[in-house]
Amino acid sequence: MFDDNATLKPMNMIEAIRDAHDVMMERDEKVVVFGEDVGYFGGVFRCTAGLQEKYGRSRVFDAPISENGIVGAAIGMAAYGLRPCVEVQFADYVYPAYDQITQEAARIRFRSKGQFTCPLTIRMPTGGGIFGGMTHSQSPEALFTHVTGLKTVIPATPYDAKGLLISAIEDEDPVIFLEPKRLYNGPFDGHHDRPVTPWSKHDAGKVPEGYYNIPLGKARTVREGNDLTILAYGTMVFVAEAAIEETGIDAEIIDLRSLLPLDLDAIQQSVEKTGRCVVLHEATRTSGFGAELMSLVQETCFYHLEAPVARVTGWDTPYPHAQEWEYFPGPKRVSEALTKVMEAA
Amino acid sequence: MSENNNDYAPLQIHVPEPPFRPGDAPDFSNFDVPVAGATPRPPIDASREDLEPYSEQVIRVLDDDGKAQGEWVPNLSDEEIDAGMRAMMRTRAFDERMMKAQRQGKTSFYMQCTGEEAIATAQQRALREGDMHFPTYRQQGLLFAQDWPVSKMMNQIFSNIEDELEGLQLPVLYSFRDAGFFTVSGNLATQYIQAVGWAMASAIAGDTKIASAWIGDGATAEGDFHAGLNFASVYKAPCILNVVDNRWAISTYHDIARSGMSTFAERAYGYGLAALRVDGNDWLAAYAASEWAAERARRGHGATLIEWVTYRAGAHSTSDDPTKYRPKEEATIWPLGDPIERLKQHLIVKGLWSEERHVQAEAQYADEMREEMEKAEANGTLHEYDRPRPSPKAMFEYVYADMPEHLRRQRQEMGV
Ligand SMILES: Cc1ncc(C[n+]2csc(CCOP(=O)(O)OP(=O)(O)O)c2C)c(N)n1
Ligand SMILES: [Mg+2]
């Protein structure tokens, strides 16, 4: 997807996201960026740092603390013909915008038969692992995948973050872009008591300079294996890696990257090969995206399955503060599920 | 982008900027410092028309020499003012101690209210038992003004075994029902309309209680703020609608929340509500305005929005570095001064206080907070895993009144 001669640069996920903005703002003057604290300061996670200085206040600016205002205004701009890429400071704060996202952005094309469209990207940090308590840790992806008309994307590496964000900005329809905040500075496998590895020590932390894209709807095989298929996204990709290392199970890990559109072919091929499947997410269990994945696996791979499909998820409670690691579905819980699925008939 | 074949000049987007950024020399010489005592105190049933000027002019009692001036001088005993001073000083000592505790890794997060202590500590004095505050994370002063046990706050901040919320909620998002302190939400502005609803309930029930809603300048941009103003006006809800304009919302200047063209108090006027603008660093004015609004609400004349003119002297939180977006000196040259210094000056003028006594009091409260912290630490701190901690059971227990079967199973799966 990119020029093979492009120079690789070490980037953490924040820098990769910033670079995607930079590349797109440079290429397309219709791209505008705004949100709470994103202008002068460059965002509380610094994902837009330097952009206002480079592209000016009329393309990069601070917004009032009004998520429905941010998204509603962005829809108006998209309808005009701009390509807004807006930030919601934490996914936990997207709810005031839910009406604008689900009833408006998602249906502008449908209800006007394409007279009006909504090429809009809504970025937001998601997931736990930073002691953010119940209002800085949520994983609301299923609230968006349940709404037709939206695309929902979640990268797990700097390389994917840049390529997917570029595709999101170029997309003709609204894209929810979830950024696993615990992965901003380095991969995290759930072992909170171990030193943090920075992205500079990871292959996926080497990011091509300039333009490249990763198409929405294509999963990435993180590791090939024969015993079992793990379907994961975001932080759970690294938890899965830790769990297979600890159990020695020869699992295939698929990082979905894009939940909608979903790479059903990749899922089907892998599960048909391994005959077993475990689904992972940080979000609460009931009606979570895992339920959709399990249904699809059951629908498409039933005659290949050798064991019931299992899932490891966050508990069905708000994300607690002190009990962060009891809540977070870490390697121990994932390992137990893998072992159980391997032991089943 | 489009061809303009007409004689209009191309439009330009207007994006407000603060007057000063890092590297600039801040200068408040254009700031209209209110004259102490210049504003008359209207009757509590004054009409909206009579109150119109109050959404612009700023009420101030303490003058530059520390003397109390004009009709808004509250009727308070020396002891009551002294208690206000103590509450502000203890709030500050607590904040200093907890900022350090966070830096020492004893918790994840802390938020100070430095420079804004007068507002909450004074308003608490003007309310009655049974009234309910719907605070933000920056109204710890409400608790200090009622001598609420420091241990309860510290244990919550450390998420330890004595934390009454059992570690479930983020530090400083307290919930103290018995203190008239509603559970603080992390989602901005939601409490504002809830406070109005609580006040409506008091009226529906034929009670005499009032509610007090709190919000920062930045969060007034949320829809819940506007819903709150409208409901309060439509139903004449017995409540106080506080807007603490400390000029900053993290890195965002208050002109992004409301444009530089109008005040927050004028917003209320547009909704048909009474509104006052008050020097928030003047403890006497803060008490007087709160008492006026409380009385107006309790006598059935409806809600008052109070815009508190103040300055966030510290960082937004322990995660923030304000030198990245505003000049360091801004806080020190803020023309309304520091609320503790100003009340100190007043108490000295009245012969009730002295510089020595002040230094002594500072040391006494610093000691108190150090000792309290030692006690709280003995109950554990957030990242100590080798000591008793709040149980993971707690997270299943408080989701519903009766635990549904699926949660019971999940709890068993977790093995607790
Ligand atoms: C709905 C929502 N959006 C965004 C945030 C993130 N956030 C937390 S505090 C804050 C700034 C609030 O500023 P202001 O209302 O002025 O209050 P202050 O912090 O100055 O007291 C922001 C943007 C949030 N907590 N909730
Ligand atoms: Mg503020």
Side-chain angles (χ1 to χ4, degrees):
Chain A
M1 279 300 143
F2 57 94
D3 177 0
D4 284 336
N5 301 321
T7 340
L8 295 179
K9 230 180 118 179
M11 292 187 202
N12 62 29
M13 199 186 281
I14 293 166
E15 291 160 337
I17 288 165
R18 193 186 298 156
D19 200 41
H21 280 95
D22 193 5
V23 166
M24 289 312 293
M25 293 196 78
E26 182 86 53
R27 276 169 79 97
D28 184 354
E29 62 169 2
K30 295 192 179 71
V31 177
V32 293
V33 173
F34 60 103
E36 294 157 23
D37 301 295
V38 310
Y40 183 88
F41 183 55
V44 293
F45 288 103
R46 318 316 312 278
C47 289
T48 57
L51 295 176
Q52 185 178 72
E53 204 178 355
K54 186 162 175 190
Y55 296 103
R57 277 215 297 268
S58 54
R59 289 181 67 200
V60 184
F61 48 90
D62 286 332
I65 302 174
S66 167
E67 291 74 15
N68 73 324
I70 291 167
V71 174
I75 293 172
M77 292 178 199
Y80 177 90
L82 300 186
R83 268 180 199 280
C85 178
V86 299
E87 176 177 301
V88 170
Q89 203 160 80
F90 284 85
D92 315 57
Y93 302 141
V94 73
Y95 305 109
Y98 202 57
D99 185 28
Q100 287 287 350
I101 295 173
T102 65
Q103 309 302 298
E104 301 299 317
R107 302 174 179 179
I108 297 259
R109 175 186 299 281
F110 184 85
R111 75 184 195 214
S112 70
K113 244 182 82 185
Q115 274 178 29
F116 295 97
T117 61
C118 191
L120 159 65
T121 304
I122 307 174
R123 297 176 36 245
M124 58 193 94
T126 186
I130 63 155
F131 280 93
M134 66 188 76
T135 51
H136 305 85
S137 310
Q138 295 170 33
S139 297
E141 63 273 12
L143 296 178
F144 300 112
T145 56
H146 193 55
V147 178
T148 195
L150 301 176
K151 297 182 179 178
T152 301
V153 175
I154 175 165
T157 67
Y159 176 85
D160 283 353
K162 179 173 169 184
L164 290 169
L165 182 54
I166 287 176
S167 290
I169 293 173
E170 288 183 323
D171 202 274
E172 295 304 328
D173 288 308
V175 180
I176 305 294
F177 194 84
L178 298 160
E179 300 168 2
K181 66 179 87 69
R182 181 61 215 231
L183 300 183
Y184 272 151
N185 290 304
F188 176 68
D189 65 7
H191 284 294
H192 56 96
D193 43 357
R194 296 189 190 161
V196 189
T197 347
W199 278 115
S200 55
K201 298 234 168 74
H202 198 284
D203 269 354
K206 292 183 189 65
V207 179
E209 286 189 318
Y211 177 92
Y212 68 94
N213 66 48
I214 296 174
L216 308 186
K218 285 274 168 271
R220 170 178 71 106
T221 305
V222 180
R223 179 193 189 276
E224 290 187 13
N226 293 305
D227 291 350
L228 179 153
T229 300
I230 300 177
L231 302 179
Y233 49 90
T235 312
M236 294 309 289
V237 170
F238 300 97
V239 179
E241 283 187 310
I244 62 169
E245 196 175 303
E246 285 154 34
T247 54
I249 293 169
D250 183 24
E252 182 146 297
I253 303 176
I254 297 189
D255 172 3
L256 297 172
R257 302 199 291 198
S258 161
L259 308 185
L260 202 148
L262 182 68
D263 193 346
L264 192 52
D265 286 345
I267 296 173
Q268 195 174 345
Q269 271 166 26
S270 178
V271 178
E272 285 181 0
K273 177 177 75 173
T274 63
R276 295 170 203 261
C277 181
V278 174
V279 171
L280 309 180
H281 59 64
E282 270 185 83
T284 47
R285 182 177 303 180
T286 302
S287 304
F289 193 67
E292 180 65 27
L293 291 172
M294 293 168 92
S295 307
L296 288 168
V297 169
Q298 193 273 141
E299 280 168 18
T300 56
C301 310
F302 183 77
Y303 296 107
H304 295 82
L305 286 175
E306 292 165 39
V309 184
R311 60 182 154 171
V312 184
T313 69
W315 308 112
D316 282 339
T317 79
Y319 212 117
H321 179 244
Q323 299 88 340
E324 176 111 29
W325 303 123
E326 285 100 347
Y327 184 92
F328 185 88
K332 186 166 162 281
R333 278 171 64 200
V334 174
S335 294
E336 280 164 14
L338 299 184
T339 311
K340 210 169 141 196
V341 170
M342 285 314 295
E343 282 164 359
Chain B
M1 268 162 247
S2 55
E3 284 301 319
N4 276 344
N5 39 18
N6 57 48
D7 64 351
Y8 295 106
L11 292 163
Q12 281 184 321
I13 186 83
H14 168 70
V15 182
E17 259 295 288
F20 314 110
R21 286 295 194 185
D24 297 336
D27 173 4
F28 285 106
S29 53
N30 283 338
F31 184 89
D32 226 345
V33 178
V35 180
T39 321
R41 184 180 189 275
I44 57 138
D45 60 352
S47 71
R48 171 171 173 266
E49 286 64 41
D50 291 342
L51 291 170
E52 186 181 354
Y54 290 84
S55 29
E56 222 192 321
Q57 67 196 23
V58 175
I59 297 166
R60 178 179 226 202
V61 170
L62 285 171
D63 69 14
D64 288 344
D65 302 321
K67 293 207 190 80
Q69 305 283 6
E71 293 178 20
W72 285 93
V73 177
N75 188 13
L76 286 172
S77 68
D78 292 348
E79 290 70 38
E80 285 171 307
I81 301 177
D82 194 77
M85 185 64 169
R86 182 179 125 83
M88 284 201 284
M89 292 185 76
R90 287 180 75 239
T91 304
R92 190 166 292 181
F94 181 89
D95 279 353
E96 280 169 7
R97 182 42 57 189
M98 291 298 97
M99 292 295 286
K100 278 199 199 113
Q102 192 276 342
R103 278 196 290 272
Q104 294 166 347
K106 300 193 190 297
T107 189
S108 53
F109 180 74
Y110 188 73
M111 299 181 96
Q112 62 193 123
C113 66
T114 311
E116 304 171 33
E117 293 91 342
I119 303 161
T121 56
Q123 180 155 120
Q124 178 58 35
R125 270 210 158 250
L127 294 203
R128 298 169 65 93
E129 203 171 327
D131 294 341
M132 188 63 76
H133 289 284
F134 286 73
T136 78
Y137 43 74
R138 234 184 275 288
Q139 273 79 52
Q140 54 268 56
L142 298 171
L143 298 165
F144 287 92
Q146 49 183 313
D147 286 323
W148 193 250
V150 167
S151 58
K152 287 182 189 281
M153 294 177 244
M154 287 191 182
N155 289 330
Q156 197 275 341
I157 290 164
F158 293 162
S159 269
N160 64 27
I161 41 160
E162 292 298 321
D163 169 13
E164 292 174 357
L165 302 181
E166 296 193 48
L168 295 177
Q169 180 58 303
L170 268 182
V172 313
L173 301 189
Y174 308 119
S175 178
F176 294 121
R177 193 184 171 108
D178 294 343
F181 197 97
F182 187 73
T183 156
V184 181
S185 175
N187 300 62
L188 292 172
T190 49
Q191 74 283 359
Y192 220 69
I193 178 69
Q194 294 163 2
V196 174
W198 196 98
M200 288 167 63
S202 174
I204 291 168
D207 209 337
T208 60
K209 292 174 187 143
I210 66 169
S212 178
W214 293 86
I215 201 166
D217 48 290
T220 62
E222 293 282 10
D224 284 342
F225 170 75
H226 296 273
L229 262 51
N230 195 35
F231 274 62
S233 173
V234 168
Y235 299 107
K236 272 202 176 189
C239 57
I240 305 178
L241 301 167
N242 296 284
V243 175
V244 182
D245 179 12
N246 61 12
R247 298 178 94 80
W248 292 94
I250 311 184
S251 76
T252 303
Y253 190 57
H254 63 175
D255 283 1
I256 291 283
R258 61 119 159 82
S259 98
M261 307 306 288
S262 66
T263 69
F264 293 101
E266 281 167 332
R267 293 252 189 286
Y269 189 76
Y271 278 102
L273 287 165
L276 304 175
R277 268 185 108 203
V278 183
D279 177 350
N281 291 19
D282 174 342
W283 194 88
L284 294 181
Y287 175 82
S290 297
E291 195 238 22
W292 186 92
E295 191 63 11
R296 183 174 169 95
R298 223 182 294 279
R299 297 269 175 226
H301 305 297
T304 304
L305 182 145
I306 308 181
E307 174 184 331
W308 301 103
V309 183
T310 186
Y311 187 88
R312 195 196 76 209
H316 171 73
S317 73
T318 46
S319 314
D320 176 45
D321 174 9
T323 62
K324 294 248 160 57
Y325 51 80
R326 66 183 196 188
K328 254 204 207 81
E329 317 78 55
E330 220 179 69
T332 43
I333 66 158
W334 167 242
L336 298 184
D338 175 79
I340 294 181
E341 287 301 311
R342 285 179 61 196
L343 194 63
K344 174 180 112 184
Q345 192 190 16
H346 175 65
L347 288 170
I348 291 174
V349 167
K350 289 184 83 173
L352 298 167
W353 200 257
S354 67
E355 291 292 350
E356 300 77 64
R357 171 143 183 221
H358 193 78
V359 174
Q360 249 173 29
E362 275 176 341
Q364 180 196 333
Y365 301 137
D367 284 349
E368 179 199 348
M369 298 310 161
R370 194 175 314 110
E371 285 161 24
E372 287 284 357
M373 177 156 133
E374 278 167 22
K375 284 189 250 166
E377 275 180 274
N379 301 323
T381 59
L382 178 62
H383 300 297
E384 291 179 286
Y385 288 94
D386 48 354
R387 306 189 43 200
R389 299 174 61 78
S391 167
K393 246 192 220 162
M395 66 189 182
F396 295 99
E397 273 165 13
Y398 303 105
V399 186
Y400 297 96
D402 299 314
M403 196 183 299
E405 188 51 30
H406 74 287
L407 273 187
R408 196 174 301 282
R409 285 182 194 207
Q410 288 184 23
R411 198 186 69 184
Q412 277 160 8
E413 198 182 320
M414 185 195 237
V416 291

